[in-house]
Amino acid sequence: MIKASLLLMVLLTVLIGMGLRWRQDRLPQVTAARRGPRPGLMARGKARIDLWITAAAIASLISLLMMGGLHWIRVWLGHG
Protein backbone atom coordinates (compact mmCIF):
# COMPACT_ATOMS: atom_id res chain seq x y z
CA MET A 1 0.00 0.00 0.00
CA ILE A 2 2.90 2.35 0.73
CA LYS A 3 4.43 1.74 -2.70
CA ALA A 4 1.10 2.46 -4.35
CA SER A 5 0.66 5.74 -2.47
CA LEU A 6 4.21 6.85 -3.29
CA LEU A 7 3.76 5.96 -6.94
CA LEU A 8 0.44 7.79 -6.98
CA MET A 9 1.97 10.85 -5.35
CA VAL A 10 4.90 10.98 -7.78
CA LEU A 11 2.61 10.54 -10.77
CA LEU A 12 0.22 13.21 -9.52
CA THR A 13 3.09 15.60 -8.76
CA VAL A 14 4.38 15.34 -12.30
CA LEU A 15 0.93 15.73 -13.86
CA ILE A 16 -0.06 18.64 -11.61
CA GLY A 17 3.31 20.32 -12.15
CA MET A 18 2.88 20.08 -15.91
CA GLY A 19 -0.64 21.46 -15.59
CA LEU A 20 0.49 24.38 -13.43
CA ARG A 21 3.29 25.20 -15.84
CA TRP A 22 0.87 25.03 -18.80
CA ARG A 23 -1.53 27.32 -16.93
CA GLN A 24 1.22 29.82 -16.14
CA ASP A 25 2.25 29.99 -19.76
CA ARG A 26 -1.28 30.87 -20.83
CA LEU A 27 -2.32 33.38 -18.14
CA PRO A 28 -2.33 36.91 -19.57
CA GLN A 29 -1.18 38.43 -16.26
CA VAL A 30 1.88 36.23 -16.08
CA THR A 31 2.88 36.75 -19.70
CA ALA A 32 2.47 40.54 -19.29
CA ALA A 33 4.76 40.49 -16.25
CA ARG A 34 7.35 38.50 -18.20
CA ARG A 35 7.65 41.18 -20.89
CA GLY A 36 9.87 43.25 -18.60
CA PRO A 37 13.54 42.51 -18.04
CA ARG A 38 14.35 38.84 -17.81
CA PRO A 39 14.58 37.65 -14.19
CA GLY A 40 17.90 36.43 -12.89
CA LEU A 41 18.97 32.85 -12.41
CA MET A 42 17.96 32.81 -8.73
CA ALA A 43 14.50 34.24 -9.42
CA ARG A 44 13.84 31.69 -12.17
CA GLY A 45 15.05 28.86 -9.94
CA LYS A 46 12.86 30.02 -7.06
CA ALA A 47 9.81 30.23 -9.33
CA ARG A 48 10.45 26.72 -10.63
CA ILE A 49 10.94 25.30 -7.12
CA ASP A 50 7.76 27.05 -5.94
CA LEU A 51 5.84 25.48 -8.81
CA TRP A 52 7.01 21.95 -7.97
CA ILE A 53 6.47 22.40 -4.22
CA THR A 54 2.92 23.55 -4.93
CA ALA A 55 2.40 20.55 -7.21
CA ALA A 56 3.76 18.18 -4.55
CA ALA A 57 1.51 19.68 -1.87
CA ILE A 58 -1.59 19.32 -4.04
CA ALA A 59 -0.56 15.78 -5.01
CA SER A 60 -0.02 14.78 -1.38
CA LEU A 61 -3.49 16.00 -0.44
CA ILE A 62 -5.11 14.17 -3.34
CA SER A 63 -3.23 10.93 -2.65
CA LEU A 64 -4.03 11.18 1.06
CA LEU A 65 -7.72 11.54 0.29
CA MET A 66 -7.72 8.76 -2.30
CA MET A 67 -5.76 6.22 -0.25
CA GLY A 68 -7.63 7.12 2.93
CA GLY A 69 -10.92 6.78 1.11
CA LEU A 70 -9.94 3.37 -0.23
CA HIS A 71 -8.95 2.29 3.28
CA TRP A 72 -12.26 3.36 4.76
CA ILE A 73 -14.17 1.60 1.98
CA ARG A 74 -12.33 -1.60 2.93
CA VAL A 75 -13.16 -1.04 6.61
CA TRP A 76 -16.85 -0.45 5.88
CA LEU A 77 -17.00 -3.57 3.74
CA GLY A 78 -15.46 -5.57 6.60
CA HIS A 79 -12.20 -6.55 4.89
CA GLY A 80 -9.77 -4.73 7.14
Side-chain angles (χ1 to χ4, degrees):
M1 195 69 146
I2 292 174
K3 290 179 186 178
S5 66
L6 286 175
L7 182 64
L8 177 68
M9 192 156 54
V10 168
L11 181 67
L12 284 174
T13 299
V14 170
L15 291 174
I16 292 169
M18 288 171 42
L20 287 173
R21 190 160 179 86
W22 175 82
R23 184 175 175 262
Q24 276 184 349
D25 289 342
R26 278 143 183 84
L27 276 177
Q29 298 89 357
V30 176
T31 54
R34 287 185 185 170
R35 292 184 200 271
R38 187 172 180 190
L41 181 65
M42 293 297 284
R44 287 191 313 245
K46 184 182 179 301
R48 190 168 185 166
I49 289 172
D50 286 345
L51 181 129
W52 287 107
I53 288 175
T54 302
I58 294 169
S60 67
L61 287 174
I62 291 172
S63 64
L64 182 75
L65 290 172
M66 287 179 65
M67 297 309 262
L70 290 174
H71 169 71
W72 281 108
I73 288 172
R74 285 183 61 200
V75 168
W76 289 330
L77 292 175
H79 296 286

